[in-house]
Amino acid sequence: MNDLELENVLKKVNEELTSVGDLNTLQQVKAKYLGKKGLLAIFMSNLKNLTIEARKEFGSMTNQVKQALENRFEAKRKELEDKLINYKLNSEAIDVTLPGVKFNTGSIHPLQKTIMELEDLYISMGYTVAEGPEIETDEYCFEKLNLPKGHPARDMQDTFYINPELLLRSQTSPVQVRTMLAEKGKPIKIICPGKVYRRDADDATHSHQFMQCEGLVLGRDVTMADLKGALLEMARLMFGDERNIRLRPSFFPFTEPSVEVDVSCGKCGGKGCSMCKNTGWIEILGAGMVNNNVLRMCGYNPDEVQGYAFGIGVERITMLKYRVDDIRNFYINDVRFLNQFKEVK
Ligand code: DAH
């Protein structure tokens, strides 16, 4: 072992490294020279046989060579690692310009949209939302709403009876009755959206099942002017700020006086056109001051409490708002129809 041999080691390593192409082989070559039983270790162990002078000189040379080898191996390791990373980057590259996978999203059903809007509006005016069952008693659906036995609205032609006392509710008005009986004379301010059923043959304007949104406000000083305000807000929310409403005398057994409410025609601005049959007005709902008989039957004293009720046809106002001309569109789940409402806010 001498200086020459040490220099040769460097040369040999450099030669060997030129053909090393992966980290595993590099590790093996490194072990051969710098490992515990590697060439440099053998050189070191031989130092003890030398004179002190020679040991000093040769020892420091060996250390220098060891350092040089370590640097060399480290440089090679870096080179191989960079190569590997570059290879991976190139082979696994993601093309960010490729189009993504498109999912078909649904949208809120137009009727549900109307109900959500009505709820938002009336909740903002201090109402709460009440619900009742769709299978209702004759007593709540008719009797306590001042529709006694023999009234035409109870006819088999109109109502789905389950038995003489149970039926599919034909209106959301029985929720008024249920709320009054539960509140026992206290003030009430509710809306009640929900499904109703009638024995109607389905056509463009009739459906055996549709939706209503009932309203009921009872208190000491609730007046017809309050009713008009509550409905004007609703009409403007649904049809636009410039719309007006008018109340026309009408009849419902559960209200007295009763009114039908018209909204000014949006197509002609009230001048008269085919949409409003040249009247300038379009009927949107029924309403009135709660009939004293109803108040009494539901535990309220008409001398102390009065109030109003209204019944909005959810399909009716939705059809008017979006110019839908066939009520059946709401139920047949044709995506070509439903997709129109995707963009509607
Ligand atoms: N229940 C009525 C109907 O189905 C709608 C209605 C009219 C409800 C006037 C009311 C009202 O509460 O006051 O035709």
Side-chain angles (χ1 to χ4, degrees):
M1 179 177 59
N2 53 34
D3 297 7
L4 206 63
E5 270 183 80
L6 263 177
E7 266 169 29
N8 276 342
V9 170
L10 261 177
K11 236 197 206 158
K12 265 201 86 192
V13 166
N14 274 333
E15 271 170 29
E16 264 186 69
L17 284 187
T18 51
S19 62
V20 170
D22 65 279
L23 288 165
N24 262 343
T25 319
L26 177 68
Q27 196 53 38
Q28 283 164 19
V29 177
K30 191 178 170 187
K32 200 162 93 188
Y33 291 96
L34 290 177
K36 266 189 195 152
K37 291 175 188 161
L39 204 57
L40 264 278
I42 296 169
F43 279 168
M44 290 297 216
S45 69
N46 285 341
L47 286 181
K48 60 182 184 295
N49 303 328
L50 300 178
T51 61
I52 292 182
E53 278 297 292
R55 198 185 299 168
K56 248 190 191 164
E57 193 190 332
F58 202 71
S60 93
M61 253 193 91
T62 311
N63 272 334
Q64 275 174 29
V65 170
K66 192 176 169 198
Q67 193 57 53
L69 285 181
E70 264 163 10
N71 291 345
R72 187 68 193 88
F73 281 119
E74 181 56 22
K76 184 73 182 181
R77 191 186 61 79
K78 275 201 92 168
E79 179 193 317
L80 290 176
E81 264 179 13
D82 285 352
K83 234 189 203 166
L84 196 66
I85 286 172
N86 281 333
Y87 172 77
K88 277 191 179 166
L89 281 177
N90 288 330
S91 63
E92 294 169 12
I94 295 167
D95 182 353
V96 292
T97 63
L98 281 175
V101 182
K102 282 220 173 85
F103 294 101
N104 272 331
T105 53
S107 55
I108 296 173
H109 193 279
L111 295 178
Q112 180 61 21
K113 207 166 249 183
T114 299
I115 286 178
M116 285 159 67
E117 285 169 2
L118 291 175
E119 286 183 351
D120 279 354
L121 173 76
Y122 283 108
I123 286 170
S124 79
M125 298 199 286
Y127 290 67
T128 53
V129 177
E131 285 183 339
E134 288 171 28
I135 296 177
E136 190 49 280
T137 62
D138 178 279
E139 188 191 1
Y140 290 174
C141 197
F142 296 133
E143 199 87 26
K144 281 192 158 28
L145 286 166
N146 209 25
L147 281 130
K149 295 235 167 3
H151 194 286
R154 305 162 64 125
D155 201 297
M156 287 299 281
Q157 300 301 316
D158 281 342
T159 306
F160 288 113
Y161 281 90
I162 292 163
N163 61 42
E165 289 309 316
L166 273 188
L167 45 89
L168 293 182
R169 67 180 179 190
S170 56
Q171 50 187 357
T172 42
S173 308
V175 188
Q176 294 185 19
V177 175
R178 288 176 172 275
T179 309
M180 283 189 257
L181 292 174
E183 292 299 325
K184 296 189 171 63
K186 284 193 284 224
I188 291 176
K189 200 168 182 183
I190 52 162
I191 54 161
C192 336
K195 288 190 199 125
V196 300
Y197 303 83
R198 297 212 185 149
R199 275 169 67 123
D200 272 336
D202 293 357
D203 62 23
T205 53
H206 295 83
S207 170
H208 62 283
Q209 180 243 291
F210 56 101
M211 300 185 93
Q212 290 186 333
C213 180
E214 195 79 13
L216 173 68
V217 177
L218 293 181
R220 272 202 83 81
D221 310 308
V222 182
T223 67
M224 202 117 179
D226 299 319
L227 167 66
K228 191 169 180 189
L231 295 177
L232 182 61
E233 287 300 321
M234 189 279 290
R236 291 194 169 163
L237 165 87
M238 290 303 295
F239 304 113
D241 285 343
E242 73 291 351
R243 297 298 191 98
N244 247 319
I245 60 168
R246 72 171 181 187
L247 310 186
R248 251 183 313 110
S250 183
F251 174 79
F252 297 103
F254 28 83
T255 44
E256 179 59 37
S258 302
V259 290
E260 262 167 352
V261 180
D262 300 337
V263 63
S264 54
C265 181
K267 201 172 171 192
C268 61
K271 286 193 205 78
C273 66
S274 61
M275 185 156 171
C276 57
K277 297 185 190 113
N278 281 320
T279 63
W281 297 94
I282 298 169
E283 186 195 324
I284 52 168
L285 59 96
M289 298 304 286
V290 178
N291 191 304
N292 285 352
N293 287 341
V294 174
L295 289 175
R296 269 192 291 269
M297 280 189 278
C298 297
Y300 280 70
N301 180 354
D303 295 331
E304 289 171 5
V305 178
Q306 60 179 20
Y308 60 79
F310 56 84
I312 304 172
V314 177
E315 278 79 355
R316 173 142 185 87
I317 59 172
T318 310
M319 285 169 83
L320 285 171
K321 176 167 182 170
Y322 300 115
R323 309 248 157 102
V324 176
D325 57 8
D326 192 325
I327 195 171
R328 291 168 292 197
N329 281 321
F330 292 129
Y331 305 111
I332 55 179
N333 286 331
D334 184 333
V335 286
R336 287 167 301 183
F337 171 75
L338 295 173
N339 275 342
Q340 298 172 59
F341 299 92
K342 267 196 175 163
E343 305 306 324
V344 177
K345 287 277 177 325

